[in-house]
Amino acid sequence: MSLVELIAQADERGLAASGLACLDRCVPLLGGDDETLRPLWASLTDDAGAADWGERLEQVRAKLDAVGDGDEAVVLAHRMLRAAPAERSAAALRVWADACSVAALQIHRLLDPSEDGTSSVSARREGRTEGLSPLVAAELRRQVVVLEVLAGHGQAGLRRALEVATEGRRVLRAVVSRRNRQQG
């Protein structure tokens, strides 16, 4: 099943985790640490957390929503954070999860020194993966895994989704660090 289809079929928790995982993997671009998004992840563990989502989101935004340096990848990461819906409804989360998916893939494409021959990530999300650069391929796999594990295991899949996001964050942190050393 393609990433687009998985997003279309995801429930509210799956959509929130999908968007949050994309944002979490891009936290190094926003200057955040491994714990920055933990309050939002915690709000996904039960239905009562839906009421806390908006408040926790504002706290995260206050920590991370500084003006970017104009770098396109940083701008896209800030957009993901700003676009997060204050209300945890399936309709709003579906739009956000979809936008986060595109933005995260685009960020990985921008940061990957390999060329994948296309400026669009839409075909990649629909399942056409030939010629995909390594960093983008890994991000695409992570997005699919998060949605599949939540579709298959519901709330019990949150731990695995967080592990996937953490792994991706570490990879992106290394890529950003290498890029900064090369530029600086």
Side-chain angles (χ1 to χ4, degrees), residues 3 21 25 54 63 73 75 83 90 107 137 139 149 153 168 172 174 181:
L3 181 57
R25 287 187 294 276
K63 290 179 187 175
V75 170
I107 286 167
E139 173 59 16
V149 77
H153 302 285
L172 196 68
R181 281 192 309 273

Side-chain angles (χ1 to χ4, degrees), residues 29 71 73-74 111 174-184:
L29 293 167
D71 179 83
V74 174
L111 296 175
V175 169
V176 169
S177 177
R178 182 177 56 228
R179 183 181 74 154
N180 289 343
R181 281 192 309 273
Q182 290 172 347
Q183 291 176 348

Side-chain angles (χ1 to χ4, degrees), residues 129-147:
T129 59
E130 62 282 340
L132 202 56
S133 66
L135 194 61
V136 176
E139 173 59 16
L140 182 62
R141 278 191 305 274
R142 286 183 189 99
Q143 288 187 26
V144 168
V145 167
V146 166
L147 286 161

Side-chain angles (χ1 to χ4, degrees), residues 150-182:
L150 286 159
H153 302 285
Q155 182 179 336
L158 283 171
R159 180 177 303 277
R160 176 69 181 129
L162 181 57
E163 289 169 358
V164 169
T166 300
E167 170 195 347
R169 183 178 347 106
R170 288 180 182 141
V171 168
L172 196 68
R173 183 170 284 126
V175 169
V176 169
S177 177
R178 182 177 56 228
R179 183 181 74 154
N180 289 343
R181 281 192 309 273
Q182 290 172 347

